[in-house]
Amino acid sequence: MLEPKVQIVKKGFWAAFLAYFGFAGFTFWNGTIILRSGLDEARAAQVEKHERQHVEQMRRDGRFLFTVKYLYFQLKYGYKKNPYEIEARRYANEIIS
């Protein structure tokens, strides 16, 4: 079972990765979540909830199927209309609001 581990990255490769792509957070296949440093407390909580929803999606669909579907949705719909991203944004907004 995937158990999320959350890390704040301040420097190094992953900090540069987040900055380069403009990501506030990212979830790895093993359930590790990285968050960009410098987010205010409310935004960090929202991003963490968003990323935790991706971990839940992996649990629900299986990591391999999640990855295949996520990439397919990215190619077909783009980031903003990717059903996994829509679900994660709704989850984060519902929890935070």
Side-chain angles (χ1 to χ4, degrees):
M1 185 180 301
L2 291 174
E3 289 301 323
K5 298 175 273 309
V6 180
Q7 300 173 0
I8 307 292
V9 293
K10 296 179 181 176
K11 58 184 176 179
F13 177 81
W14 293 115
F17 171 84
L18 293 175
Y20 180 81
F21 288 104
F23 295 162
F26 186 84
T27 301
F28 293 94
W29 220 44
N30 67 356
T32 298
I33 296 167
I34 58 173
L35 302 178
R36 188 178 69 220
S37 68
L39 300 174
D40 67 50
E41 191 174 319
R43 179 67 176 134
Q46 186 178 40
V47 172
E48 182 177 337
K49 293 204 182 332
H50 175 108
E51 298 304 330
R52 284 181 180 274
Q53 186 60 22
H54 289 316
V55 174
E56 181 55 36
Q57 292 163 341
M58 284 186 243
R59 272 194 199 118
R60 182 184 67 215
D61 295 350
R63 287 185 274 186
F64 179 77
L65 183 58
F66 167 83
T67 303
V68 170
K69 288 173 65 178
Y70 187 95
L71 293 173
Y72 170 77
F73 291 150
Q74 280 295 104
L75 292 172
K76 184 171 183 177
Y77 303 115
Y79 179 79
K80 289 187 178 184
K81 293 184 181 179
N82 180 327
Y84 281 128
E85 291 298 337
I86 292 169
E87 179 184 338
R89 283 192 298 271
R90 284 185 180 149
Y91 177 76
N93 289 333
E94 288 171 1
I95 296 297
I96 296 298
S97 298

